[in-house]
Amino acid sequence: MASSLTAAYATIAPCRTANFTTPRRSATRIRCIGWDPEGLLGPPQTGHIARREFQRRMESDAEAREAFERQIRQEKERRRALRQSRVVPDTPGELIEYFLDTEAQEIEFEIARLRPRLNEEFFSHLKFELGQLRFAVSKTQDTEDRLFELEALQKALMEGTEAYDKLQADLLKAKESLTKILTSKDVKATLLDMVEGNELNRSLLTLLDENIVTAQKDGEKQAVAFMEKLRGAMLKYMTV
């Protein structure tokens, strides 16, 4: 899913998880940075020079690299434990609060896990509460804050479910395409047909890579050799 989803959701999640008393409008946004994906090094530095300095440090300083990797492992373990400890509620209203209490970094995972629950009933409930807040006769600061965070949540969940559904559709199509190639009696002709149908794409290539890794772990050398050759052919046709 797009990093913009996490950034948008980060306007509401920190206030809930940190229990801040300041209005949710002022919550710090989480920015996507390629060289510190887990956000473990504090406030991100910007610019090419900062990224290159970080890369040089990781390449030259074994102790710093080991410490960084240890932090990554600890953060992953913390998130795994947090996921296991969270109890998914039963009602749409409780599910809204559940998402509001979800860390920004975890929103994509929760959308994927709870996609069946993010249905018409849930969004209707969310829309109904938003309507009540928007058209309330008397509005307090708490009302305004609640309206703000629910609007941000609605946007994040709608964009997130759309992205998740597209990802699943692309994955299903990629599986069908890969099966078509692997069972073909004339792979070259099949690839040419798929080029004409615009069926060769990055999703298919990613799925093939995953199959190569699995075959390597299982020691299937012939399968690996065949799929790597197939990968080279796919790249050739994809870049024509």
Side-chain angles (χ1 to χ4, degrees):
M1 298 178 200
S3 58
S4 60
L5 169 62
T6 302
Y9 189 78
T11 62
I12 57 175
C15 295
R16 281 301 190 92
T17 55
N19 206 15
F20 292 161
T21 58
T22 54
R24 290 165 178 81
R25 291 179 181 77
S26 62
T28 303
R29 287 180 177 272
I30 294 177
R31 293 172 173 80
C32 180
I33 46 177
W35 44 278
D36 183 15
E38 301 291 343
L40 297 171
L41 301 181
Q45 303 177 56
T46 59
H48 177 72
I49 295 177
R51 291 194 297 271
R52 290 299 303 159
E53 177 60 29
F54 176 82
Q55 291 171 354
R56 282 195 295 269
R57 183 185 176 196
M58 290 297 103
E59 292 170 358
S60 61
D61 191 333
E63 184 176 342
R65 183 169 61 252
E66 182 180 350
F68 176 72
E69 292 173 350
R70 182 169 59 252
Q71 286 179 308
I72 295 294
R73 291 193 299 269
Q74 290 173 345
E75 174 63 8
K76 287 182 177 180
E77 176 59 27
R78 183 191 71 82
R79 291 187 182 181
R80 185 193 65 78
L82 178 63
R83 289 171 179 176
Q84 291 183 343
S85 67
R86 303 192 76 200
V87 179
V88 180
D90 298 323
T91 67
E94 292 171 334
L95 192 58
I96 288 174
E97 301 305 319
Y98 180 88
F99 273 105
L100 289 174
D101 289 331
T102 297
E103 293 184 10
Q105 298 94 328
E106 292 292 291
I107 185 64
E108 293 176 7
F109 169 82
E110 293 294 354
I111 287 175
R113 179 166 70 157
L114 299 175
R115 179 61 185 93
R117 296 282 306 277
L118 300 176
N119 51 24
E120 183 177 354
E121 179 188 7
F122 172 81
F123 282 109
S124 293
H125 185 94
L126 179 55
K127 185 177 180 180
F128 176 75
E129 184 172 347
L130 280 167
Q132 287 185 314
L133 293 171
R134 289 189 184 116
F135 300 108
V137 176
S138 59
K139 293 184 179 180
T140 64
Q141 186 59 53
D142 287 342
T143 303
E144 293 288 349
D145 290 344
R146 176 71 174 180
L147 177 61
F148 175 78
E149 66 179 8
L150 287 186
E151 287 177 337
L153 177 65
Q154 182 186 49
K155 183 175 185 296
L157 293 182
M158 291 183 69
E159 290 181 356
T161 53
E162 181 180 353
Y164 176 80
D165 290 346
K166 184 180 184 304
L167 179 65
Q168 294 305 303
D170 289 345
L171 180 59
L172 179 60
K173 186 175 181 180
K175 288 180 178 179
E176 293 173 350
S177 297
L178 185 57
T179 300
K180 180 180 178 180
I181 296 171
L182 295 178
T183 58
S184 174
K185 295 181 179 179
D186 189 338
V187 173
K188 183 176 181 180
T190 300
L191 289 176
L192 289 173
D193 288 341
M194 294 177 72
V195 169
E196 293 182 4
N198 197 29
E199 297 179 60
L200 297 183
N201 51 48
R202 289 294 170 184
S203 296
L204 176 56
L205 194 65
T206 299
L207 183 61
L208 179 61
D209 287 341
E210 291 175 355
N211 278 266
I212 291 174
V213 171
T214 300
Q216 287 173 334
K217 290 180 179 179
D218 295 339
E220 300 174 358
K221 295 181 179 180
Q222 289 184 336
V224 171
F226 172 76
M227 287 189 288
E228 287 181 340
K229 184 177 180 180
L230 174 60
R231 188 182 194 281
M234 287 175 56
L235 284 173
K236 176 183 175 182
Y237 290 121
M238 286 174 66
T239 55
V240 169

